[in-house]
Amino acid sequence: GKGKQASSHHKHINVSVKPSLVNRGLSIGSVHVGMKLYGAVSAIEEHGYAVSLGNRELNAFLPFDEAGDRNGKLKVGQLVEGRVTKLQKGAKLAKLSLVPEEEAEE
């Protein structure tokens, strides 16, 4: 065989997809550590990036030290994919670690 054909199945999310559609059913109760979340940078704060998941039930935060080589390069409105490292249920907040672009493409 020729091995896996990259073109045959696209698992990565199309950039035209709005985070609000992808994350419509999410809540703090349905998210777990290690899960990948997809959102857009909504603000740049003192310690990292606020990430909007387009969902009122859950917000996300990407600390600068979890943004890897893209630290300081992300802009408001940019789409990011992160892996949940910690959940703060009271604040309805998921802390994220940025998924490297190579891995996000899988």
Side-chain angles (χ1 to χ4, degrees), residues 30-50:
S30 66
V31 171
H32 54 84
V33 170
M35 186 170 168
K36 281 186 189 176
L37 291 178
Y38 180 76
V41 175
S42 58
I44 298 170
E45 297 181 359
E46 199 180 337
H47 300 293
Y49 301 99

Side-chain angles (χ1 to χ4, degrees), residues 16-83:
S16 62
V17 171
K18 289 194 178 79
S20 56
L21 295 176
V22 181
N23 298 323
R24 198 163 32 191
L26 280 186
S27 70
I28 191 77
S30 66
V31 171
H32 54 84
V33 170
M35 186 170 168
K36 281 186 189 176
L37 291 178
Y38 180 76
V41 175
S42 58
I44 298 170
E45 297 181 359
E46 199 180 337
H47 300 293
Y49 301 99
V51 177
S52 167
L53 303 172
N55 178 320
R56 288 205 188 104
E57 290 302 306
L58 186 66
N59 290 302
F61 186 73
L62 174 65
F64 289 134
D65 57 3
E66 294 282 6
D69 57 359
R70 294 167 80 192
N71 181 7
K73 298 184 185 147
L74 296 174
K75 298 179 176 65
V76 171
Q78 195 162 349
L79 295 172
V80 292
E81 189 174 17
R83 190 173 271 113

